[in-house]
Amino acid sequence: MKIAGMLAVLLLVIATHQAEAQRQKPLRPMTKEEGHKLILYALKQCEGFPTASPELVLCIQAVNMRVMKLWNAGQTPSFLK
């Protein structure tokens, strides 16, 4: 029940974020190498969560959203330099 509530809130936040992103300028493209580095960074940030758990998925999505917000604003995170 607790996880279902967390997922509902996450979906609401994602939907709001996507609607806002569509109104903004086009997204900044990312190369395959940069995307791979982002995945590895997210996995490293979420090391403490059990494998294939909903918590791990939520953590990875949160890291990805945080980094992509900076990326699309024109800022390059240090791990991508």
Side-chain angles (χ1 to χ4, degrees):
M1 192 70 158
K2 189 175 186 181
I3 293 175
M6 289 175 30
L7 287 174
V9 170
L10 179 66
L11 290 174
L12 179 62
V13 169
I14 290 172
T16 304
H17 178 73
Q18 286 176 337
E20 178 184 322
Q22 289 175 350
R23 290 189 298 269
Q24 295 177 353
K25 62 183 178 180
L27 300 179
R28 182 176 161 199
M30 187 177 269
T31 65
K32 287 183 182 181
E33 182 181 340
E34 291 166 335
H36 182 72
K37 286 181 180 179
L38 173 56
I39 292 168
L40 293 176
Y41 174 77
L43 289 172
K44 186 175 182 180
Q45 294 297 308
C46 301
E47 281 181 336
F49 293 98
T51 305
S53 68
E55 293 86 1
L56 178 63
V57 173
L58 292 173
C59 178
I60 291 171
Q61 287 178 336
V63 170
N64 187 38
M65 287 176 66
R66 188 172 59 242
V67 170
M68 291 309 296
K69 184 174 182 179
L70 292 173
W71 179 261
N72 288 329
Q75 300 174 17
T76 303
S78 60
F79 70 90
L80 289 176
K81 293 179 181 176

